[in-house]
Amino acid sequence: MGPAGAGKTTFCAGLIQHLRLNKRSCFYINLDPAAEDFSYEPDLDIKDLISVEDVMDEMGLGPNGGLIYCFEYAMADAETSFANDGHFRFLLENLDFLTEAIDPLTEEYLIIIDMPGQIELYTHIPVVPALVKHLTRTGALNVNLCATYLLESTFVIDRAKFFAGTLSAMSAMIMLEIPHVNVLSKMDLVKGLVSKKDLKRFIDPDTSLLDDDPADTQNAVVASQDRRVDPLTPGPLMAGGSFKRLNQAVAQLIDDFSMVSFLELNMQDEDSVGGILSYIDDAIQYHEAQEPREPKDEIEVNWEDTDMS
């Protein structure tokens, strides 16, 4: 999961390719009703249940509102706060399309769920937490989940934007209450733009990143060049003390919680994909769940003919 354009579907495709190369089983679920192009066809697609186009036409909603409505409709549970809302007709049976598909899968399968890019689904709308509880509930599906939150690596160029993205990742961690792997995606895009030394500072973000923010100097120069510029334009707003104090407060909050750190992902590097997968496997205890297998070639030893001297 993560904001739109972070490379979630591309990452899912890379995972599937890596798993197939290593002869591991996987089950691919698309829960993004706006997704259209897939390198690998989903085994289960939310668009078979409800489409964002139909919702936009029938409900008079825009693309963002239509997408969120689709997700709420598909994921709604009778126990959620939406159950008694007269505007929506949510049914417990809406979760059957997930339950019936996942229930027969053995522990050998890695279930990959491609999520929408609407941040509010992970930060303050209770639908995704309800989905997590349904999937992890003991006695039902009892799936071990790990959330993989992707943030585009180009965010590091704009430190205010980076801390905003990091805050959304932390919000998702707090909301969902499941193991998390946070990833800086598309690392190939910042090659040559950010030195490796500077990039390491973003892996474990803290307030020191704002102490030498290049944007401060740039904004100050722009503001000093033209005092008559419209104060409502982005330049003066971002150069103002209020904006800087806001960024410092956000950075301090992230630093105080000390929850978020990132892994680097380059989809062009197979080892990079494998490295992320190893963290996911550890989080869901994949290897511990596998049943011991008998060795293919058993060596029989006749101890009577063995010289014990």
Side-chain angles (χ1 to χ4, degrees):
M1 59 187 185
K8 299 182 293 296
T9 301
T10 302
F11 176 58
C12 289
L15 270 183
I16 294 171
Q17 180 179 345
H18 184 84
L19 291 166
R20 290 185 176 183
L21 288 174
N22 288 275
K23 302 188 183 305
R24 280 182 57 178
S25 302
C26 64
F27 191 83
Y28 181 28
I29 301 174
N30 173 51
L31 292 184
D32 184 356
E36 295 180 353
D37 299 323
F38 301 96
S39 298
Y40 296 94
E41 194 67 24
D43 298 296
L44 188 67
D45 195 338
I46 191 176
K47 290 184 293 185
D48 295 334
L49 181 67
I50 188 171
S51 71
V52 68
E53 291 82 5
D54 290 343
V55 169
M56 289 171 61
D57 291 340
E58 294 179 14
M59 305 296 297
L61 298 172
N64 192 61
L67 192 148
I68 293 177
Y69 179 91
C70 287
F71 202 76
E72 289 176 343
Y73 175 83
M75 296 301 108
D77 189 294
E79 297 176 356
T80 70
S81 61
F82 299 99
N84 296 319
D85 191 330
H87 182 62
F88 301 111
R89 294 182 179 180
F90 297 122
L91 300 173
L92 180 60
E93 290 77 22
N94 289 337
L95 286 170
D96 285 349
F97 91 110
L98 264 179
T99 305
E100 293 172 0
I102 293 176
D103 191 49
L105 300 178
T106 65
E107 292 179 339
E108 293 182 354
Y109 279 82
L110 182 68
I111 302 171
I112 301 171
I113 305 178
D114 194 355
M115 300 290 286
Q118 272 53 41
I119 296 301
E120 51 266 49
L121 287 172
Y122 319 118
T123 56
H124 60 275
I125 295 178
V127 179
V128 175
L131 169 63
V132 168
K133 289 180 181 179
H134 175 77
L135 293 176
T136 58
R137 189 168 59 232
T138 303
L141 293 174
N142 197 22
V143 177
N144 290 334
L145 291 180
C146 171
T148 306
Y149 196 98
L150 272 65
L151 193 67
E152 190 174 331
S153 61
T154 55
F155 278 32
V156 305
I157 298 172
D158 184 341
R159 299 188 183 185
K161 191 175 182 180
F162 171 76
F163 275 111
T166 303
L167 180 63
S168 67
M170 189 177 79
S171 298
M173 295 175 75
I174 295 171
M175 277 283 288
L176 300 185
E177 298 181 320
I178 56 175
H180 247 74
V181 175
N182 297 302
V183 176
L184 284 177
S185 62
K186 304 181 181 180
M187 290 301 299
D188 54 304
L189 297 182
V190 296
K191 186 177 182 180
L193 298 176
V194 182
S195 67
K196 291 183 178 180
K197 181 180 178 181
D198 287 339
L199 196 57
K200 288 182 179 179
R201 300 178 62 194
F202 292 90
I203 301 303
D204 294 296
D206 58 47
T207 56
S208 66
L209 285 169
L210 292 177
D211 294 339
D212 56 350
D213 187 357
D216 288 344
T217 304
Q218 182 180 359
N219 289 332
V221 170
V222 171
S224 64
Q225 287 176 346
D226 192 351
R227 297 287 183 180
R228 297 168 298 175
V229 71
D230 185 352
L232 296 181
T233 57
L237 286 175
M238 294 184 180
S242 297
F243 184 71
K244 186 173 182 178
R245 288 193 296 273
L246 174 62
N247 289 329
Q248 289 172 337
V250 170
Q252 188 62 58
L253 180 66
I254 293 169
D255 199 8
D256 289 344
F257 272 83
S258 191
M259 292 175 62
V260 184
S261 61
F262 290 96
L263 302 173
E264 300 177 29
L265 173 64
N266 182 356
M267 291 302 301
Q268 312 302 320
D269 184 356
E270 188 70 21
D271 291 337
S272 179
V273 178
I276 302 294
L277 178 59
S278 67
Y279 278 90
I280 296 172
D281 283 340
D282 288 343
I284 63 175
Q285 299 180 318
Y286 171 79
H287 296 291
E288 288 84 345
Q290 303 307 301
E291 294 183 1
R293 297 181 179 181
E294 294 293 331
K296 292 182 179 180
D297 297 319
E298 296 185 358
I299 302 176
E300 295 183 1
V301 178
N302 189 343
W303 295 104
E304 294 181 356
D305 297 336
T306 304
D307 187 2
M308 302 298 291
S309 60

